[in-house]
Amino acid sequence: MFRVAISSARASSKVRWSRCIQTQPHTLTESSMGMAMGMMGGKKEREEGDISSVFASLSGEASKPLPARFGELKEKIIGDEANQRALVESWSRLTKRLSEVAEEVDRKKQDCIPQVTYEEFTRSPSSNTIEAIKRSGSLIVKNVIERETAERWLKDIEKYIKDNPSVKGFPKDDKQVFELYWSKTQLIARSHPRSFQVQKSLLKLFSADEGDREVSLHVPLSYADRLRIRHPGDSQFSLGPHSDGGSVERWEDGTYRGVYKDILTGKWEKFDPWTIGGRVRANQNMYDGPGSCGVFRAFQGWTSLSSTGPNEGTLRVYPFIKELSAYVLLRPLFREKQSRATVTHDQYLSPSNWELDVNTPSTTFPGSPLARCQEYSDITHPHLQLGRSMVSMPRVEPGDQAWWHCDTIHAVEATHNGLGPSAVLYIPTVPLTLQNIRYIKDQRENFISGRPGPDFPGGVGESNFIGRGMETDIIGEEGRQAMGLKAFELDDKMSEGERLLRSKANEILGL
Ligand SMILES: [Fe+2]
């Protein structure tokens, strides 16, 4: 699941973890002179901190009003009278639909998450399967890696950890989320041909304009993320509902906002979460947040190395991607009339209790602080009914993969009540884009020296680790290409856009 982060948050708070964040404190040494200069791989190095710097709810800070310009932004988005009417009507339709969704998730539980075998998904998924995946936004792909191989990977990683006792991890006294990016196992898993096949099939779910020269949905890249081996009984490592890809940026950045144009003009039913559009050019990180991600990830995902089911410390998701996207985007535009303390629950949620935040609009964007992760709760987003509508992933076996759309609201179960390790390798689906290839270029530099990728806490990382993975461990030409170690091939059969994008990527990589 994530690029993440853990930290030793405040002793008074339950410490949580997410993979979309990373904040492990680290120490610079003489051997990291580049970083000592404040730079890493050509990018500014991330500041030290802990998880509370990523999640406002963990920092204990009260919800702070955003600067005045956010009131103006809200007014601009709400628009003229015609748009206002459309928004109010769409809000009414949407909140009714969200109530149906909550009931459906409550009833179906894990059945809301489509499960598909590797063979079906990569060869000829049925229209029913595609439809179910597109409705949910999350899925399990079964048998991607042979069970025996995945089990061996876990043993190999455990040995790598044992051979390198100085490895950092969270929590410090019982490490479960490791600051490891370059083990042989991770390099092999990221470049595994069957994993690339799944990623290509995931990218096929999206559509891009034929003339779009900034994205290829045919070429997955390797983004080096962490791994976790969660222990039975653990409850330190949990994370509340959140989404990746920035917070206020979804409204403030014009390109990002454009992705959700249908929603913001009162036509949420028309919104297609599977259109790439401006996502590849959007600025998801306007405030250099400590948990921000330097690439556009179409899907977040992990490869399971263990048999793990609900209540065993697994991932939870809101399994209706269009509805959640619509509500997330519309929510700041509306305000309650009567507080929850003065009316019944149904009255509180009723559309008649909500109105557009117009005429001296507030600067409030619930759960969307600057430079923090976008978070959700029953207070900030009551119509989602998160207590009923977040569902744990179905049981996975070693070699299965879990995937969720880049806008999906997700969380990590508070407690691991299972009997064995809950182990995953975080490996997302990252398409070739110009922004992404620039990250890969910087990441390549860090890989060669054994340091964490630019998105992650700095330091010397695995530079001096015994048994660290090398370029020769990467499988095949596709794996080397995904790491920026081999030029992208060009041929006349490609569209002009694809060929130009690959040429530009090769140029950026100096290949
Ligand atoms: Fe996340």
Side-chain angles (χ1 to χ4, degrees):
M1 40 220 238
F2 340 138
R3 171 170 92 65
V4 174
I6 306 305
S7 84
S8 56
R10 304 176 319 157
S12 58
S13 305
K14 180 187 281 186
V15 181
R16 309 183 186 185
W17 164 103
S18 144
R19 92 185 224 228
C20 55
I21 315 149
Q22 86 312 67
T23 48
Q24 189 99 342
H26 58 276
T27 304
L28 297 180
T29 72
E30 292 80 355
S31 60
S32 59
M33 289 304 289
M35 289 175 281
M37 298 290 287
M39 300 295 290
M40 183 161 71
K43 292 185 70 168
K44 189 169 179 291
E45 187 192 11
R46 293 280 165 92
E47 288 184 11
E48 294 185 21
D50 65 29
I51 193 117
S52 66
S53 65
V54 177
F55 289 94
S57 61
L58 286 184
S59 72
E61 73 183 24
S63 164
K64 285 191 290 194
L66 296 177
R69 69 175 183 279
F70 284 93
E72 294 159 20
L73 172 65
K74 197 182 287 198
E75 201 159 31
K76 178 178 157 190
I77 294 171
I78 288 173
D80 61 17
E81 282 187 18
N83 202 57
Q84 291 178 23
R85 272 197 304 277
L87 288 171
V88 169
E89 287 166 13
S90 76
W91 175 263
S92 181
R93 298 192 305 273
L94 176 62
T95 52
K96 180 170 179 288
R97 173 64 188 144
L98 292 174
S99 179
E100 295 168 357
V101 164
E103 281 176 25
E104 184 171 341
V105 179
D106 208 6
R107 190 173 69 250
K108 293 185 176 172
K109 301 276 191 308
Q110 276 70 39
D111 287 345
C112 292
I113 311 290
Q115 301 191 53
V116 57
T117 64
Y118 171 85
E119 281 71 24
E120 181 192 349
F121 189 53
T122 58
R123 288 175 195 166
S124 55
S126 69
S127 56
N128 284 348
T129 296
I130 296 294
E131 190 186 321
I133 293 170
K134 287 194 169 184
R135 186 171 60 242
S136 169
S138 302
L139 68 151
I140 298 289
V141 185
K142 307 288 291 180
N143 309 318
V144 178
I145 305 297
E146 279 187 350
R147 183 183 189 104
E148 296 70 25
T149 303
E151 288 173 341
R152 191 178 69 246
W153 284 354
L154 178 56
K155 287 192 171 62
D156 290 347
I157 287 168
E158 288 170 338
K159 179 172 188 311
Y160 184 58
I161 291 167
K162 195 174 170 194
D163 288 346
N164 298 285
S166 64
V167 63
K168 291 177 181 170
F170 172 85
K172 280 183 181 168
D173 57 354
D174 181 26
K175 295 171 197 169
Q176 299 176 55
V177 181
F178 294 90
E179 292 295 304
L180 293 177
Y181 308 88
W182 306 124
S183 66
K184 289 178 191 292
T185 304
Q186 285 163 297
L187 291 178
I188 292 167
R190 286 184 202 126
S191 58
H192 197 288
R194 284 168 69 95
S195 197
F196 279 138
Q197 280 305 116
V198 170
Q199 291 173 36
K200 288 179 197 170
S201 297
L202 288 165
L203 290 174
K204 279 184 195 166
L205 297 168
F206 286 89
S207 61
D209 292 340
E210 188 56 37
D212 196 328
R213 295 178 179 176
E214 292 194 40
V215 62
S216 167
L217 296 176
H218 311 293
V219 184
L221 303 175
S222 281
Y223 179 81
D225 204 334
R226 297 183 173 90
L227 61 90
R228 79 150 136 88
I229 306 175
R230 197 176 182 188
H231 303 156
D234 175 68
S235 59
Q236 297 193 69
F237 170 59
S238 72
L239 185 67
H242 71 281
S243 52
D244 306 333
S247 60
V248 289
E249 286 87 349
R250 281 190 171 83
W251 297 270
E252 191 174 14
D253 179 67
T255 304
Y256 208 170
R257 187 170 69 243
V259 170
Y260 309 102
K261 182 165 174 272
D262 286 331
I263 297 170
L264 297 173
T265 51
K267 298 170 287 199
W268 70 265
E269 294 91 340
K270 273 187 67 183
F271 170 67
D272 180 6
W274 304 97
T275 298
I276 287 278
R279 291 179 190 277
V280 297
R281 288 176 292 278
N283 186 350
Q284 302 185 358
N285 179 25
M286 297 174 74
Y287 299 97
D288 198 24
S292 63
C293 179
V295 297
F296 163 64
R297 292 171 292 194
F299 272 87
Q300 281 283 36
W302 43 245
T303 300
S304 182
L305 305 184
S306 59
S307 176
T308 302
N311 301 315
E312 296 179 1
T314 193
L315 180 79
R316 291 168 67 76
V317 295
Y318 186 103
F320 282 83
I321 184 67
K322 181 195 277 194
E323 287 84 349
L324 80 81
S325 303
Y327 184 69
V328 168
L329 268 292
L330 289 180
R331 172 65 188 91
L333 312 185
F334 288 83
R335 63 189 174 210
E336 65 188 32
K337 292 180 188 171
Q338 293 184 279
S339 78
R340 67 184 67 225
T342 59
V343 292
T344 67
H345 182 65
D346 286 348
Q347 286 169 338
Y348 180 69
L349 294 182
S350 168
S352 63
N353 190 43
W354 295 77
E355 62 187 359
L356 276 174
D357 192 9
V358 286
N359 305 326
T360 64
S362 71
T363 62
T364 304
F365 282 68
S368 316
L370 301 182
R372 307 269 196 183
C373 200
Q374 173 74 45
E375 294 188 89
Y376 307 89
S377 72
D378 282 338
I379 302 297
T380 59
H381 296 78
H383 296 88
L384 291 177
Q385 300 188 53
L386 293 168
R388 303 168 72 198
S389 56
M390 292 290 287
V391 65
S392 297
M393 283 291 179
R395 175 164 295 282
V396 291
E397 300 297 334
D400 295 346
Q401 293 181 336
W403 294 98
W404 61 104
H405 183 285
C406 49
D407 283 340
T408 296
I409 298 174
H410 55 287
V412 178
E413 287 181 342
T415 306
H416 177 1
N417 289 315
L419 299 174
S422 171
V424 304
L425 303 176
Y426 297 112
I427 304 176
T429 293
V430 176
L432 172 60
T433 72
L434 293 181
Q435 181 191 30
N436 289 351
I437 206 66
R438 289 188 185 100
Y439 183 91
I440 292 296
K441 176 174 180 280
D442 292 338
Q443 179 186 266
R444 178 180 65 184
E445 204 175 304
N446 292 18
F447 163 58
I448 290 165
S449 63
R451 305 194 315 268
D455 275 347
F456 296 88
V460 295
E462 297 157 77
S463 302
N464 302 314
F465 276 19
I466 297 165
R468 171 163 64 91
M470 297 294 164
E471 187 174 339
T472 49
D473 295 304
I474 298 169
I475 302 174
E477 296 301 285
E478 191 172 24
R480 297 183 64 239
Q481 178 182 276
M483 283 285 287
L485 296 163
K486 175 186 177 294
F488 296 98
E489 290 177 3
L490 306 169
D491 68 47
D492 294 339
K493 292 176 193 156
M494 294 170 183
S495 68
E496 189 190 358
E498 178 88 16
R499 206 165 48 246
L500 285 171
L501 176 63
R502 290 180 182 220
S503 296
K504 182 70 181 167
N506 289 340
E507 195 181 304
I508 290 169
L509 291 168
L511 296 172

PDB file of all heavy atoms in Angstrom, residues 2 18-20 239 242 244 300 410, ligand 1:
ATOM      1  N   PHE A   2       1.743   1.422   0.439  1.00  0.00           N
ATOM      2  CA  PHE A   2       2.118   2.760   0.376  1.00  0.00           C
ATOM      3  C   PHE A   2       3.547   3.038   0.539  1.00  0.00           C
ATOM      4  O   PHE A   2       4.265   2.329   1.090  1.00  0.00           O
ATOM      5  CB  PHE A   2       1.488   3.472   1.431  1.00  0.00           C
ATOM      6  CG  PHE A   2       0.347   2.772   1.931  1.00  0.00           C
ATOM      7  CD1 PHE A   2       0.126   2.715   3.271  1.00  0.00           C
ATOM      8  CD2 PHE A   2      -0.539   2.172   1.095  1.00  0.00           C
ATOM      9  CE1 PHE A   2      -0.985   2.119   3.731  1.00  0.00           C
ATOM     10  CE2 PHE A   2      -1.651   1.579   1.571  1.00  0.00           C
ATOM     11  CZ  PHE A   2      -1.868   1.559   2.882  1.00  0.00           C
ATOM     12  N   SER A  18       0.992   4.742   7.540  1.00  0.00           N
ATOM     13  CA  SER A  18       0.391   4.705   6.224  1.00  0.00           C
ATOM     14  C   SER A  18       1.490   4.648   5.242  1.00  0.00           C
ATOM     15  O   SER A  18       2.555   5.116   5.441  1.00  0.00           O
ATOM     16  CB  SER A  18      -0.365   5.956   5.940  1.00  0.00           C
ATOM     17  OG  SER A  18      -0.211   6.262   4.592  1.00  0.00           O
ATOM     18  N   ARG A  19       1.149   4.177   4.122  1.00  0.00           N
ATOM     19  CA  ARG A  19       2.186   4.066   3.174  1.00  0.00           C
ATOM     20  C   ARG A  19       2.182   5.251   2.279  1.00  0.00           C
ATOM     21  O   ARG A  19       2.952   5.356   1.384  1.00  0.00           O
ATOM     22  CB  ARG A  19       1.940   2.853   2.406  1.00  0.00           C
ATOM     23  CG  ARG A  19       1.160   3.243   1.268  1.00  0.00           C
ATOM     24  CD  ARG A  19       0.833   2.068   0.622  1.00  0.00           C
ATOM     25  NE  ARG A  19       1.038   2.306  -0.713  1.00  0.00           N
ATOM     26  CZ  ARG A  19       0.255   2.050  -1.635  1.00  0.00           C
ATOM     27  NH1 ARG A  19      -0.698   1.489  -1.399  1.00  0.00           N
ATOM     28  NH2 ARG A  19       0.431   2.295  -2.816  1.00  0.00           N
ATOM     29  N   CYS A  20       1.256   6.142   2.510  1.00  0.00           N
ATOM     30  CA  CYS A  20       1.256   7.291   1.639  1.00  0.00           C
ATOM     31  C   CYS A  20       2.011   8.383   2.309  1.00  0.00           C
ATOM     32  O   CYS A  20       2.024   9.497   1.894  1.00  0.00           O
ATOM     33  CB  CYS A  20      -0.140   7.755   1.380  1.00  0.00           C
ATOM     34  SG  CYS A  20      -0.966   8.070   2.860  1.00  0.00           S
ATOM     35  N   LEU A 239      -4.165   3.321  10.552  1.00  0.00           N
ATOM     36  CA  LEU A 239      -4.335   4.635   9.945  1.00  0.00           C
ATOM     37  C   LEU A 239      -5.789   4.848   9.595  1.00  0.00           C
ATOM     38  O   LEU A 239      -6.431   3.971   9.024  1.00  0.00           O
ATOM     39  CB  LEU A 239      -3.472   4.728   8.680  1.00  0.00           C
ATOM     40  CG  LEU A 239      -3.486   6.105   8.028  1.00  0.00           C
ATOM     41  CD1 LEU A 239      -2.799   7.121   8.915  1.00  0.00           C
ATOM     42  CD2 LEU A 239      -2.831   6.065   6.671  1.00  0.00           C
ATOM     43  N   HIS A 242      -8.272   8.043   4.724  1.00  0.00           N
ATOM     44  CA  HIS A 242      -7.583   9.151   4.059  1.00  0.00           C
ATOM     45  C   HIS A 242      -7.487   8.836   2.579  1.00  0.00           C
ATOM     46  O   HIS A 242      -7.771   7.716   2.154  1.00  0.00           O
ATOM     47  CB  HIS A 242      -6.178   9.335   4.651  1.00  0.00           C
ATOM     48  CG  HIS A 242      -5.233   8.235   4.279  1.00  0.00           C
ATOM     49  ND1 HIS A 242      -5.252   7.007   4.911  1.00  0.00           N
ATOM     50  CD2 HIS A 242      -4.278   8.151   3.321  1.00  0.00           C
ATOM     51  CE1 HIS A 242      -4.339   6.227   4.366  1.00  0.00           C
ATOM     52  NE2 HIS A 242      -3.733   6.889   3.397  1.00  0.00           N
ATOM     53  N   ASP A 244      -4.783   9.603  -0.907  1.00  0.00           N
ATOM     54  CA  ASP A 244      -3.480  10.097  -1.336  1.00  0.00           C
ATOM     55  C   ASP A 244      -3.681  11.158  -2.432  1.00  0.00           C
ATOM     56  O   ASP A 244      -4.796  11.414  -2.848  1.00  0.00           O
ATOM     57  CB  ASP A 244      -2.653   8.933  -1.884  1.00  0.00           C
ATOM     58  CG  ASP A 244      -2.564   7.779  -0.889  1.00  0.00           C
ATOM     59  OD1 ASP A 244      -2.665   8.031   0.327  1.00  0.00           O
ATOM     60  OD2 ASP A 244      -2.397   6.630  -1.338  1.00  0.00           O
ATOM     61  N   GLN A 300      -2.690   2.398  -6.293  1.00  0.00           N
ATOM     62  CA  GLN A 300      -1.852   1.963  -5.194  1.00  0.00           C
ATOM     63  C   GLN A 300      -2.027   0.457  -5.086  1.00  0.00           C
ATOM     64  O   GLN A 300      -3.114  -0.057  -5.387  1.00  0.00           O
ATOM     65  CB  GLN A 300      -2.303   2.602  -3.887  1.00  0.00           C
ATOM     66  CG  GLN A 300      -1.847   4.016  -3.738  1.00  0.00           C
ATOM     67  CD  GLN A 300      -0.386   4.065  -3.350  1.00  0.00           C
ATOM     68  OE1 GLN A 300       0.415   3.247  -3.805  1.00  0.00           O
ATOM     69  NE2 GLN A 300      -0.035   5.031  -2.535  1.00  0.00           N
ATOM     70  N   HIS A 410      -8.962   5.145   1.854  1.00  0.00           N
ATOM     71  CA  HIS A 410      -8.486   3.886   2.424  1.00  0.00           C
ATOM     72  C   HIS A 410      -7.969   4.092   3.837  1.00  0.00           C
ATOM     73  O   HIS A 410      -7.713   5.218   4.266  1.00  0.00           O
ATOM     74  CB  HIS A 410      -7.441   3.238   1.519  1.00  0.00           C
ATOM     75  CG  HIS A 410      -6.261   4.124   1.194  1.00  0.00           C
ATOM     76  ND1 HIS A 410      -6.337   5.199   0.328  1.00  0.00           N
ATOM     77  CD2 HIS A 410      -4.972   4.085   1.612  1.00  0.00           C
ATOM     78  CE1 HIS A 410      -5.148   5.774   0.230  1.00  0.00           C
ATOM     79  NE2 HIS A 410      -4.308   5.122   1.014  1.00  0.00           N
TER      80      HIS A 410
HETATM   81 FE    FE B   1      -2.470   6.036   1.767  1.00  0.00          FE
END
